[in-house]
Amino acid sequence: MSKTIDIRGVIVPDADLWIYKWFGMDAVAPKIVRKALQEANGESVEILINSNGGDVFAGSEIFTILREYTGNVYIKIQSFAASAAA
């Protein structure tokens, strides 16, 4: 069975994530994806995306983290994957 990782809301740098969480806003940062992949430990993962994008540098870091993952990565765009989420 594969692990599911949600990429929902704004893509933000690690240092800014707390602000979005403070206000109860959906956001994802590279450290969330990195931690989820470490927990998956090489198993297949399914990435569910519904995001209008955000910070291009954080988006690029997430892309690199996913690309370097040793297990299978399946991407499912649930609604919207714009800008940095693409």
Side-chain angles (χ1 to χ4, degrees):
M1 177 143 196
S2 64
K3 178 175 179 66
T4 301
I5 301 171
D6 283 324
I7 296 182
R8 298 188 182 285
V10 183
I11 295 175
V12 298
D14 290 337
D16 295 347
L17 182 62
W18 72 272
I19 298 168
Y20 290 83
K21 296 300 179 188
W22 176 271
F23 287 104
M25 299 169 64
D26 286 334
V28 67
K31 69 180 177 181
I32 291 174
V33 176
R34 186 179 298 107
K35 181 180 179 202
L37 291 178
Q38 287 171 347
E39 291 171 359
N41 198 30
E43 294 180 30
S44 295
V45 294
E46 181 178 44
I47 310 296
L48 304 178
I49 301 175
N50 186 6
S51 172
N52 63 348
D55 184 82
V56 68
F57 300 108
S60 179
E61 185 175 351
I62 290 171
F63 171 79
T64 302
I65 292 166
L66 291 172
R67 188 171 183 149
E68 292 177 348
Y69 182 64
T70 57
N72 292 321
V73 177
Y74 302 98
I75 307 289
K76 184 184 286 184
I77 299 170
Q78 294 191 306
S79 178
F80 200 56
S83 190

